Amino acid sequence: MSDLTTAVTAALTADHDRLAAYLKLQTVSVQNRGITATVTFLTHAFEELGAQVQVWRDVAGSNPFVFATFTAGPHGNADRTLLFYNHYDVQPPEPLAEWQTDPFTLTEKAGYYYARGISDDKGELMLRLSAVKALQASGGLPCNLKFVVEGEEEIGSRHIPQMTQQHASDLAADAIVWETGGKDADENFQVTCGAKGILCLELSVTTAEKDLHSSLAAYADNAAWRLTQALASLRTADNRVKVAGFYDDIRPLTPTERRAVAAMTLNGDVVKQHFGLKRPLITADPVTELVNGSTMTLNGLSSGYEGAGVKTVIPKRATAKVDCRLVPGQDPQHQAQLIRDQLKRNGFGDVRVTYLLGEAPFRSDLTAPFVKMAVKTAHQVYGDHVRLVPNMAGTGPQAPFFAAVQAPIVAVGSTWAGSGPHAPNENVRVADYQQAACYTAELLTVFGTQM
Amino acid sequence: MSDLTTAVTAALTADHDRLAAYLKLQTVSVQNRGITATVTFLTHAFEELGAQVQVWRDVAGSNPFVFATFTAGPHGNADRTLLFYNHYDVQPPEPLAEWQTDPFTLTEKAGYYYARGISDDKGELMLRLSAVKALQASGGLPCNLKFVVEGEEEIGSRHIPQMTQQHASDLAADAIVWETGGKDADENFQVTCGAKGILCLELSVTTAEKDLHSSLAAYADNAAWRLTQALASLRTADNRVKVAGFYDDIRPLTPTERRAVAAMTLNGDVVKQHFGLKRPLITADPVTELVNGSTMTLNGLSSGYEGAGVKTVIPKRATAKVDCRLVPGQDPQHQAQLIRDQLKRNGFGDVRVTYLLGEAPFRSDLTAPFVKMAVKTAHQVYGDHVRLVPNMAGTGPQAPFFAAVQAPIVAVGSTWAGSGPHAPNENVRVADYQQAACYTAELLTVFGTQM
């Protein structure tokens, strides 16, 4: 074990209680819970490590941003700055009945850590702070560091565009490390260079001013049927989005990106078993779809009587929540308009489309020196099991960060394919958590000395 | 005003508190609430009028039936017996926020009575008892009467087939008057001679063992999409059921039935305005559809995240509640099998179809003497505004009653087109309530003396 690895291990042990305390905070942004306590917690955590901390409250309507800076140690490179982006908010824990442990209590069991946020991404921030502590204990930080931690990632990072504009000079850095990352289902560590965008909509239809007795179905329209038919008109039987122009703006992969995708793997059987999927994967090429496919997902349906037994009503109203994951070339506002237009063309002009939020997609230049360095360092820590991934399948506000900072972005971290970041029993493996902290410390060392 | 009308008016006044007390009982059968108290209440109400009362608890698994018999008065016809069928249970009052009055408090306002059950059908039973009281005060009952009141109509009258078999000799009668009836949207009083059947199903699909992060929509199936597509595959854009054989067993109307349908009217504009329908009626011939059309209604949809804001999950499970109204010739079990078969043919063999309940349709012979007498008497009370209706659009367990009693069935009562029997603000008009009580008293008089 190298000296740095030993120091990281010691830091993780020392920091275990801080990790548990951070996860205990119920920072559910969609319910506006726990924000103030969490900001206070983080301020103290950074200050204890010697950071200069600012809490930015100058972005109108936003939860506060926690901004912390560390300067390079006496042997470090004061000309190089790395920026970490994380978020302190988490998804709601529901459905509670499906958790096998308390969602806000860090529970270690059989090599796994369980808690809401352990993977997405309170755990990631804490392991980065442990890497900082280890580096400080091993001769000092090899470069300058900045951390910006937002409180609205799980509700769409609505204020990141404004924050990154207002604070572009504060954020100035040579490279950006994104909130989370980790291993794929085949245990390959991924260095991920972008994120999909997202568009979230609510589709609703109202067919009457009251629920009707279902005997009147002989002549009266039904909101649940109407919404069902409208939704079904947007998707083929083999699960392609049937909205004119929906896929048109997707930028084809470059040769470098294609090579990266070709080296990626996804074990369909492992994935199926892990999630208990009842039917085959809906695509023959899941890897390419994860990187450069645009999706339309029904997140929820609600209409009429949903209780026990029977209630023979015609629902007056039906709603669906929909998200679309977007890839480079696609724009959320434009995609929303395509969907609105298609619904009208399909005869469903009465279906109301409400734009809930949108984020642009982003992908770093895979040939950037920092990207290559992150991959090379990964090989040193993870051996052969490393893959360069053009972008994650998930979403994050990378586009506005890039616009402000003009630096490459990579996402690396401690998750695995079964982490279940938005689901009950969210988890990471303890060994992955430790390995990711080591990688972070190594990456900062190489970044300070070799670039 | 005739002496009988005067007596009915007096009885209704005297019985107002009893009506209010009956409606106050929260007899919500789907939630198994209020059953015992309501049975006790009815037993006392019948006994106060001099009936012999039995509470039948001998039908396994059923809520009790209240059975009451009155013998003809000294001047009445002891050879003729009329059987009333009613139910003491009501639909749940939800959604509570949409009630303008307390659902379990009889409220009189601007000529309307409001309460859950005032139309369907606690009010109907009470006005029938007021008619009994008026006849008793006017020289005695003109015929024998039987009342059977069940407690499971709103959950599908599951035990009526068994009860009517076990108690066929108790129920013996020359004619049957059904639970409720009234006026159509054009203010015509209807003498209705049958009821549609019903089939209630739950359709559900499970695509995974857990909800997934929606970034995985690149390859993972989605229960909400799957259910949406399965449902949409069962219905054309113009709202015809697209299930092979679904309409095949419908018995064509006889010439007499066709004449009755031709005389019926439905003012589409009035209906649209009353219910606040946002789109045109879904059929060009609503009257025929109400009488002899078979429907498939989505009563409810539920899947995934239905709360506020955004939660980007792939739902693992989705469910729909469905009812089909059936007409003479159709059988609920057979129709369920057709739907199952069609889903399989459409590629949705993974959609689980659960049979919740079924009731057969029924239609009396429109040429039966009792039917003609009910119409003729209606003309005496309601003038020209009377229509013979082959069957109601709603459902009731008439088929098993007919099988046991072998007597014609007519449904008459106090409702109007805006009564909203299963909806918030269920109501009847006070004038209709009084008129229906008069009609009932007249009908019994004619039945005892002229048949």
Side-chain angles (χ1 to χ4, degrees), chain A residues 30-31 91-95 98 116 120 154-155 158 196 198 200 202 206-222 224-229 231-232 234-239 266 271 273-283 286 289-291 293 295-316 318 321-323 325 347 350 356-357 393-395 417-418 420-424, chain B residues 30-31 91-95 98 116 120 154-155 158 196 198 200 202 206-222 224-229 231-232 234-239 266 271 273-283 286 289-291 293 295-316 318 321-323 325 347 350 356-357 393-395 417-418 420-424:
Chain A
V30 74
Q31 298 161 352
Q91 282 277 322
E94 284 79 7
E98 296 183 23
R116 171 57 86 230
D120 184 14
E154 298 297 0
I155 50 175
R158 288 168 205 260
K196 286 189 179 177
I198 199 167
C200 292
E202 181 172 283
T206 300
T207 48
E209 281 165 14
K210 40 181 115 176
D211 286 349
L212 308 182
H213 192 284
S214 75
S215 61
L216 305 183
Y219 61 71
D221 210 4
N222 177 319
W225 269 125
R226 189 114 187 102
L227 183 68
T228 298
Q229 293 182 311
L231 290 170
L234 299 179
R235 198 163 159 111
T236 66
D238 60 342
N239 299 303
L266 183 139
V271 166
Q273 197 187 346
H274 177 74
F275 295 125
L277 299 184
K278 307 297 181 192
R279 299 203 314 139
L281 302 195
I282 65 173
T283 172
E289 288 299 318
L290 281 167
V291 171
T295 58
M296 182 188 288
T297 300
L298 277 174
N299 307 127
L301 292 174
S302 185
S303 183
Y305 189 67
E306 306 181 37
V310 160
K311 188 175 180 190
T312 51
V313 290
I314 303 175
K316 65 177 180 178
K321 305 238 185 210
V322 176
D323 82 53
R325 300 283 172 170
D350 54 326
L356 299 177
L357 68 89
T395 297
H422 286 195
Chain B
V30 75
Q31 297 161 352
Q91 283 276 322
E94 285 80 7
E98 295 183 22
R116 170 58 83 230
D120 183 15
E154 299 297 0
I155 49 175
R158 288 167 205 261
K196 287 188 179 177
I198 198 167
C200 292
E202 181 172 285
T206 300
T207 48
E209 282 165 15
K210 42 181 116 176
D211 287 348
L212 309 181
H213 192 285
S214 74
S215 61
L216 304 183
Y219 61 71
D221 211 3
N222 176 319
W225 269 125
R226 189 114 186 103
L227 184 68
T228 297
Q229 293 182 312
L231 290 170
L234 299 179
R235 197 162 161 113
T236 66
D238 60 343
N239 299 302
L266 183 138
V271 165
Q273 197 185 348
H274 177 72
F275 295 125
L277 299 183
K278 307 297 181 193
R279 299 204 313 140
L281 301 194
I282 64 173
T283 170
E289 288 299 318
L290 281 167
V291 171
T295 58
M296 182 188 287
T297 300
L298 277 175
N299 307 127
L301 292 174
S302 185
S303 184
Y305 188 66
E306 305 182 37
V310 160
K311 188 175 180 189
T312 51
V313 290
I314 303 174
K316 65 177 181 178
K321 306 239 184 208
V322 175
D323 83 53
R325 301 283 174 171
D350 55 325
L356 299 178
L357 66 89
T395 297
H422 286 196

Side-chain angles (χ1 to χ4, degrees), chain A residues 6 15 22 40 47 51 53 72 99 135 191 243 269 292 331 351 353 360-361 365 433 440:
Chain A
T6 306
D15 289 343
Y22 188 39
T40 302
E47 285 177 349
V53 183
W99 281 84
L135 289 165
V191 176
V243 171
D269 291 338
N292 214 38
D331 171 75
V351 174
V353 178
D365 176 0
Y433 192 80
T440 304

Side-chain angles (χ1 to χ4, degrees), chain B residues 125-286:
Chain B
L125 177 59
M126 289 299 109
L127 77 82
R128 289 167 184 185
L129 294 192
S130 295
V132 168
K133 180 181 280 187
L135 289 165
Q136 287 173 331
S138 308
L141 291 178
C143 59
N144 303 316
L145 298 178
K146 294 179 178 177
F147 286 85
V148 63
V149 191
E150 74 151 321
E152 300 182 335
E153 199 273 347
E154 299 297 0
I155 49 175
S157 298
R158 288 167 205 261
H159 295 95
I160 288 285
Q162 197 182 333
M163 181 277 284
T164 50
Q165 279 182 22
Q166 284 180 216
H167 291 280
S169 59
D170 293 316
L171 298 171
D174 303 296
I176 300 171
V177 174
W178 206 247
E179 50 153 328
T180 183
K183 294 176 181 171
D184 65 18
D186 290 327
E187 300 294 344
N188 294 304
F189 181 78
Q190 298 180 313
V191 176
T192 305
C193 301
K196 287 188 179 177
I198 198 167
L199 162 65
C200 292
L201 302 172
E202 181 172 285
L203 272 60
S204 65
V205 63
T206 300
T207 48
E209 282 165 15
K210 42 181 116 176
D211 287 348
L212 309 181
H213 192 285
S214 74
S215 61
L216 304 183
Y219 61 71
D221 211 3
N222 176 319
W225 269 125
R226 189 114 186 103
L227 184 68
T228 297
Q229 293 182 312
L231 290 170
S233 80
L234 299 179
R235 197 162 161 113
T236 66
D238 60 343
N239 299 302
R240 292 281 293 174
V241 177
K242 211 164 55 175
V243 171
F246 190 84
Y247 299 110
D248 288 1
D249 296 339
I250 296 177
R251 213 176 62 203
L253 296 172
T254 66
T256 307
E257 290 165 348
R258 277 210 304 277
R259 276 194 301 277
V261 168
M264 293 167 62
T265 56
L266 183 138
N267 187 324
D269 291 338
V270 169
V271 165
K272 273 196 67 175
Q273 197 185 348
H274 177 72
F275 295 125
L277 299 183
K278 307 297 181 193
R279 299 204 313 140
L281 301 194
I282 64 173
T283 170
D285 188 2

